[in-house]
Amino acid sequence: MSSTVEIIKSKVTAIFAHDTTGHDWFHIERVLKMAEYLQSKEGGDLEIIQLAALLHDISDHKMNGGKLNAGGQVALELLSDLNYDSAKSQLVKEIVDGVSYKGAHVQDALKTLEGKIVQDADRLDAIGAIGVARAFAYGGSKNRPMYIPNLTPTMHASFEEYASSKSHTINHFYEKLLLLEARLHTETAKQIGKERHTFMEQFLEQFYNEWNSKLN
Ligand code: ADP
Ligand code: NI
């Protein structure tokens, strides 16, 4: 790991240490490890991938009071404080700015291999058992109800609409989580994503069965 990656890692560890909304340091660490694994199978510039994975949630709109594209600038400033190569910093900034999901009908695919790998790693951590846990942790932190049967999901057409949605957490599965598998880029991520996607479908089936069970 290069010294720039080491320094950014210790700064990010401190910043995310106390989060309880599903964006804690362990999320960043899982994304970093997954991105490194994907890079080992798919290629791409390891240092850019590590920096973008570490910085991808640095100023997320869900945590910064609603500013939609602030993260890239914060990442750029942290890297320029370390006199990091400016062309590489720009590539990291573009990944941080573009990584987030923005709604069912909003195109969000990143263009570079490094971007695709970080986006895949972030999305794999939003699905499967950890994805289920993070969704309810996040929903609880925003005072969202777990489920309201008559409130159906919305397929959002803009980032603003998606970001301001205040629905219950089960809807989030239809508005985002179940749509992520089809948006994975790399073959390695698609293989991992398949099992995690199936697990969420099974979770929902079990959830509705328990919700609707008529005892005696
Ligand atoms: P993204 O940048 O694509 O939004 P993040 O890494 O920032 O991804 O993680 C977002 C996490 O927050 C996910 O695990 C996701 O399930 C959760 N989350 C975001 N919006 C909601 C919501 N409306 N309800 C429940 N969970 C949510
Ligand atoms: Ni993330």
Side-chain angles (χ1 to χ4, degrees), residues 8 28 31-32 46-57 79 91-93 95-96 99 114-115 118:
I8 292 293
I28 310 292
V31 172
L32 174 65
L46 179 61
E47 189 177 57
I48 290 172
I49 288 169
Q50 288 171 322
L51 291 171
L54 284 166
L55 291 166
H56 83 274
D57 274 337
L79 292 169
L91 288 170
V92 173
K93 176 187 186 292
I95 298 173
V96 174
V99 73
E114 290 77 14
V118 175

Side-chain angles (χ1 to χ4, degrees), residues 68-114:
L68 291 185
N69 284 311
Q73 193 54 36
V74 177
L76 206 53
E77 283 160 19
L78 283 169
L79 292 169
S80 107
D81 287 349
L82 301 176
N83 294 315
Y84 188 62
D85 180 273
S86 67
K88 288 184 180 179
S89 301
Q90 194 56 39
L91 288 170
V92 173
K93 176 187 186 292
E94 281 164 21
I95 298 173
V96 174
D97 279 337
V99 73
S100 270
Y101 182 80
K102 301 175 182 65
H105 293 305
V106 186
Q107 211 285 112
D108 60 13
L110 286 173
K111 302 282 178 285
T112 60
L113 176 58
E114 290 77 14

Side-chain angles (χ1 to χ4, degrees), residues 123-143:
R123 289 175 176 188
L124 286 173
D125 205 56
I127 63 178
I130 288 179
V132 171
R134 290 181 72 215
F136 287 100
Y138 178 92
S141 80
K142 299 280 178 187
N143 297 319

